[in-house]
Amino acid sequence: MTRGCKFSFHVAIVIAAITYIYLSTVFVFIDRWFGLWSSPGMLHTVVFTFLALMCISSYRLAIYTDPGRVPASFVPDIEDATNPIHEIKRKGGDLRYCQKCSHYKPPRAHHCRICNRCVLRMDHHCVWMNNCVGHANYKIFFVFVVYAVTACVYSLVLLLGSITVDSQNDIDDSDRIIHVISGLLLVPLSLALGFFLGWHIYLIVQNKTTIEYHEGVRAMWLAEKGGQLYSHPYDIGVYENLTAILGPTILFWLCPTTGHVGSGLRFQTKYDRLIVTSAPD
């Protein structure tokens, strides 16, 4: 399912950054280090162009893919054995109902105040994509981060290599400015995206969303306070957690496509009995 996309200043910044990094890497770093038309230069150009194309395609898909809508006809059935988890409100004990959307919310769904609707398995609203990250586009978003980190680190290595060559030869003022700007851009970007990638690898392995992680911290504290052990109800094992997000075929884990199998309202759990979990209103 696709969605319309309004112009966003943050999206424009990301596109400008991708364009600048690609042009400076190919026509400055690779050209000065190896020579653009030499065999090593052409090889590095092909590899980096592939990474750039994967970044652009996955970023575009993440923006335009609808993260997942709750069907208007959805009504929780607490007697349905195929859907063993039913979240309730912390206050009142009722099943979760969105007053703004005027329908019940299935497990892991949350209302986004920016998109003004409920999103299935919502992780967060990403201003850099002008879209929510949810059930239908989480894998695409993750793949984009993987390729973005790889491209930034690769470009940074080529930058350092071209600086080594430039220190032995004369360098134009314009190229020196490009090196400085690129260094100021690539170093913090590589660190930030690297941390972000590690964070989402942790979430995928645990089968958590960012929202569920913060909720789990509080739930764990309350459980320990009551002398109980807290267990994340959606954790079905490392490999099963990975395949639930990235898909069953390892060879396609880094392809910018959705990895989910089944409908958006089907959620796997390690329990085979009814579980009532505490969820925000």
Side-chain angles (χ1 to χ4, degrees):
M1 181 184 297
T2 59
R3 61 183 282 274
C5 178
K6 297 180 180 179
F7 176 80
S8 168
F9 176 71
H10 294 87
V11 172
I13 290 178
V14 174
I15 295 174
I18 293 174
T19 303
Y20 175 81
I21 291 173
Y22 176 78
L23 294 177
S24 60
T25 300
V26 172
F27 296 104
V28 178
F29 308 153
I30 294 178
D31 187 33
R32 293 193 67 86
W33 192 2
F34 302 101
L36 188 58
W37 301 108
S38 65
S39 296
M42 294 181 66
L43 177 61
H44 284 288
T45 299
V46 169
V47 173
F48 194 77
T49 300
F50 169 78
L51 292 175
L53 290 176
M54 293 304 294
C55 280
I56 294 172
S57 61
S58 57
Y59 182 64
R60 180 183 178 279
L61 284 173
I63 291 175
Y64 282 98
T65 300
D66 193 296
R69 296 175 179 268
V70 179
S73 60
F74 170 76
V75 177
D77 183 3
I78 61 175
E79 297 181 355
D80 184 6
T82 62
N83 187 22
I85 288 185
H86 300 281
E87 296 179 338
I88 63 173
K89 296 180 180 180
R90 293 195 184 107
K91 299 178 181 179
D94 299 327
L95 291 172
R96 300 168 66 217
Y97 185 84
C98 182
Q99 298 292 340
K100 297 179 180 179
C101 296
S102 299
H103 60 62
Y104 285 99
K105 291 189 289 188
R108 317 186 83 175
H110 297 274
H111 185 87
C112 176
R113 289 175 293 182
I114 300 175
C115 296
N116 195 30
R117 66 183 179 88
C118 289
V119 177
L120 292 174
R121 197 188 179 277
M122 180 178 175
D123 186 90
H124 67 286
H125 182 90
C126 182
V127 296
W128 300 105
M129 299 192 325
N130 195 25
N131 192 13
C132 275
V133 177
H135 172 78
N137 67 346
Y138 184 81
K139 181 198 172 182
I140 304 172
F141 164 78
F142 177 77
V143 169
F144 165 68
V145 176
V146 170
Y147 284 114
V149 170
T150 306
C152 287
V153 173
Y154 191 10
S155 179
L156 189 58
V157 171
L158 294 172
L159 166 63
L160 296 175
S162 65
I163 290 177
T164 303
V165 174
D166 290 339
S167 63
Q168 302 173 359
N169 303 319
D170 294 334
I171 180 172
D172 298 334
D173 291 338
S174 59
D175 287 347
R176 185 180 292 108
I177 293 174
I178 292 176
H179 280 81
V180 172
I181 295 176
S182 299
L184 293 175
L185 176 64
L186 287 171
V187 171
L189 196 57
S190 299
L191 293 175
L193 288 175
F195 172 81
F196 201 57
L197 176 61
W199 167 250
H200 279 281
I201 290 175
Y202 166 78
L203 292 179
I204 291 176
V205 169
Q206 298 286 325
N207 199 2
K208 294 181 180 179
T209 64
T210 301
I211 295 174
E212 290 169 353
Y213 169 81
H214 293 293
E215 291 176 353
V217 171
R218 183 179 185 278
M220 184 180 299
W221 178 78
L222 291 175
E224 292 177 351
K225 187 177 180 180
Q228 300 176 349
L229 293 177
Y230 172 77
S231 177
H232 182 57
Y234 302 100
D235 186 0
I236 53 177
V238 175
Y239 179 74
E240 288 77 10
N241 291 340
L242 289 170
T243 55
I245 300 298
L246 302 178
T249 307
I250 298 179
L251 294 177
F252 298 131
W253 278 5
L254 294 181
C255 293
T257 56
T258 56
H260 294 280
V261 178
S263 68
L265 297 179
R266 198 159 111 203
F267 298 93
Q268 292 177 298
T269 173
K270 64 182 180 181
Y271 301 108
D272 57 0
R273 56 184 174 82
L274 178 65
I275 298 175
V276 179
T277 62
S278 177
D281 295 348

